[in-house]
Amino acid sequence: MNEQQSTTTTPPVIHARGLTRRYGDTAVVDGIDLDIIRGEVFGLLGPNGAGKTTTILMMLGLTEISSGEISVLGFNPAREPLKVKRRVGYLPDAVGFYDQLTATENLAYTGKLMGLPRAERAGRIEQALRRVGLIDVASKRVATFSRGMRQRLGLAEIIMKRAEIAILDEPTSGLDPQATQEFLGLIGELKAEGITVLLSSHMLDQVQRICDRVALFKAGHIVLMGAVPELAVKVLGAGFVVEVEAEGPGIARRLAMIPGVTQVETLSADRFRMTAERDVRPDAARAVVAVDGSLRRLSVDEPSLDTIYARYFQDHSAGGVRHAA
Amino acid sequence: MRREGSPFQGMSTVFVKELADHISSVRMLMLELLIVFTALAALYEAINSLRQNTAEDPFLLLRLFTIDQAPLPSFVAILGFLIPLMAIGLGFDAVNGEHNRRTLSRILAQPIYRDALLMGKFLAALATIGISLAALWLLVIGLGLIFLGVPPGSEEVARSLVFLAVAIFYAGVWLSLAMLLSTVFRSAATAALVSLGIWLFLTVLWPMLAPALAQAVAPADPRYALLGLNDPATAVWTQELLRLSPNDLFEEAMLAVLSPTTRALGPVFLDQLRGAVMGAPLPFGESVMLAWPQTVGLVAGTIVLFAFSYVLFQRQEVRA
Ligand SMILES: Nc1ncnc2c1ncn2[C@@H]1O[C@H](COP(=O)(O)OP(=O)(O)O)[C@@H](O)[C@H]1O
Ligand SMILES: [Mg+2]
């Protein structure tokens, strides 16, 4: 029975049920359920202090689990931490290196700790540094590295480890926009190789593009989980945001009448934002032409996670007030 | 619940890295220069005074370690003072340094236990001190050969090797203390200051406070004072209080091993000396037995302090 099941549906690589971490009386991670599928990029998103790092540390056996259960690649990280840590790569929030050592020496040290055979080490280090674009500074001391270079060196460590799962904690925080884009590109490459990526971030918009699925955290709970378009439909009732820049009488009313449009916001006299179930750009263009207006711009976007998150809490705090009343 | 795998996996890697760090560090160089120059000054005075009175002395080499020529203290006394400094210098940022560099969670995400990191660091620092002390030991033997012109006898070499071993244990106590404080305090500066405070207290203040405390606990019987003698009860209390300081344990052990005529440590009672030929050296084995309790005390102190850091470190949060 079991065997059959495991061949038909691949078991999740990370599986958590009721995972809880308490410090004293306060639960900073409070009964979360997670299933992360092999090969996906999964985002743990939410504001600072929501419990993302604590969740990650429990997956690695680096902090105690108060209750609930978790398995990573089939192992319990509290009982078999070495088995988990041999297969999982971890890039901590604001990662640090030994400043007096070079990039290569830093990787050589962790390479030895990983138990990589001596013969393979140098080759793997070079390969990893090349992948993240640090090969030219391989023999420079890390003291001279920028924040972005350190992040990439941390990623090189995971590449060198040939980890099955890469856990990246706030990988883009503190990076300038260009470094952020480069780093997101590198994460995309990991995914292309079939590595499961779990990343956390408090900047929802920044990472939403590369995440296949996200879990939105709030005060130790996962409030929403799923693919971004799914969540958009669930929370906003729509998966598309179309922005129209046009002049003409009564455009807003016209736009609202298009079938599938759930909401029209007037951003300024000539700018409107529609949320819709489908891509309504052709209908919008027709609507503008119909009132003899002049169309200047038309754009479509996924709804931003920030919007989804904000809206979710708007609705729910309104609900909360009603309950309290 | 049994843990999988060996707690020592990765320890040798940590050991080698830390040892290389220590040996190439400016900090270590400074500590070594300080010790070598102070020791050389003491040895220079010792050699001068030994050359002047060339009386027959079967333990001429050992006298190099122990002779003190005002204003300089003896070589051993200088080491008793400076070894803690060296140990503190190597240990005060062992754990909090990893936190503050934000390397700790990255290292502990590798397939090793925390035991390996702590043990590797402790052993590497101890090995560094051991190497420095061994070099100093060779220096003393070499200088003795050159300037005193006497080849050391086998018993002298044996006794001086015991000195080396006890000195390393002594360093171990201070190293454990420094590492414990580096686990307790997140700031390396705080850990260093507290370690140095304890060091100054135990080496400078405690020898003055202990007699006063003993006097308070067991006030001297005025009848002894009338006879111009020390009250034995007060003397015993003083001794026992002094022994709370590793410094005192080290000095007592060194006295027993390096001055073969020492027959007893602490307050001497007449019955202990009955039958003893005053001034006759004790055999090597008996000297070692004399120093044994003190040595065990140092080792025990090391283990207890290390165990505290171990427990604390295991429970500590890894995040910065
Ligand atoms: N050692 C600790 N003791 C008490 N509370 C802690 C400790 N570590 C973290 N916390 C609390 O746990 C909560 C979640 O922290 P964290 O998991 O780091 O959040 P995130 O990574 O989402 O920003 C925070 O409110 C933080 O204050
Ligand atoms: Mg965090």
Side-chain angles (χ1 to χ4, degrees), chain B residues 40 43 47 60-65 75 133-164 258:
Chain B
L40 274 181
L43 288 174
I47 286 171
L60 199 56
L61 181 74
L62 294 184
R63 303 269 291 150
L64 262 185
F65 287 89
F75 177 74
L133 290 178
L136 265 183
W137 179 84
L138 283 173
L139 185 76
V140 176
I141 305 276
L143 287 178
L145 265 175
I146 294 169
F147 291 104
L148 299 177
V150 281
S154 61
E155 187 179 335
E156 280 180 306
V157 172
R159 281 176 184 268
S160 65
L161 281 176
V162 173
F163 147 80
L164 194 57
L258 294 176

Side-chain angles (χ1 to χ4, degrees), chain A residues 48-49 51-54 93 169-170 200, chain B residues 319:
Chain A
N48 287 322
K52 306 178 297 289
T53 301
T54 310
D93 186 7
D169 197 358
E170 303 277 357
S200 88
Chain B
R319 70 178 107 198

Side-chain angles (χ1 to χ4, degrees), chain A residues 75-207:
Chain A
F75 302 109
N76 178 339
R79 295 236 178 75
E80 302 170 299
L82 300 193
K83 286 195 182 122
V84 170
K85 294 195 285 187
R86 207 165 282 129
R87 292 164 177 83
V88 177
Y90 174 45
L91 175 65
D93 186 7
V95 64
F97 291 88
Y98 299 103
D99 278 349
Q100 81 281 10
L101 302 182
T102 67
T104 307
E105 286 165 349
N106 265 292
L107 291 193
Y109 180 45
T110 28
K112 280 186 226 167
L113 291 176
M114 288 169 201
L116 300 187
R118 175 194 284 275
E120 256 182 67
R121 226 158 37 220
R124 282 216 210 178
I125 290 172
E126 201 200 308
Q127 196 187 5
L129 287 174
R130 199 177 293 284
R131 277 279 303 278
V132 300
L134 289 177
I135 194 73
D136 295 332
V137 290
S139 49
K140 282 228 166 62
R141 294 191 317 137
V142 174
T144 62
F145 280 22
S146 69
R147 176 93 174 79
M149 290 160 88
R150 282 164 200 259
Q151 289 295 114
R152 280 187 280 153
L153 186 55
L155 200 63
E157 189 175 280
I158 296 176
I159 293 172
M160 165 180 80
K161 196 173 191 174
R162 305 217 170 128
E164 291 173 49
I165 303 177
I167 299 184
L168 317 174
D169 197 358
E170 303 277 357
T172 58
S173 77
L175 300 189
D176 62 49
Q178 195 198 337
T180 303
Q181 289 315 310
E182 281 173 14
F183 201 87
L184 294 179
L186 289 170
I187 295 176
E189 287 178 25
L190 291 188
K191 175 184 157 68
E193 276 175 33
I195 297 173
T196 310
V197 179
L198 179 71
L199 61 85
S200 88
S201 180
H202 66 276
M203 293 192 277
L204 279 49
D205 285 359
Q206 211 175 57
V207 295

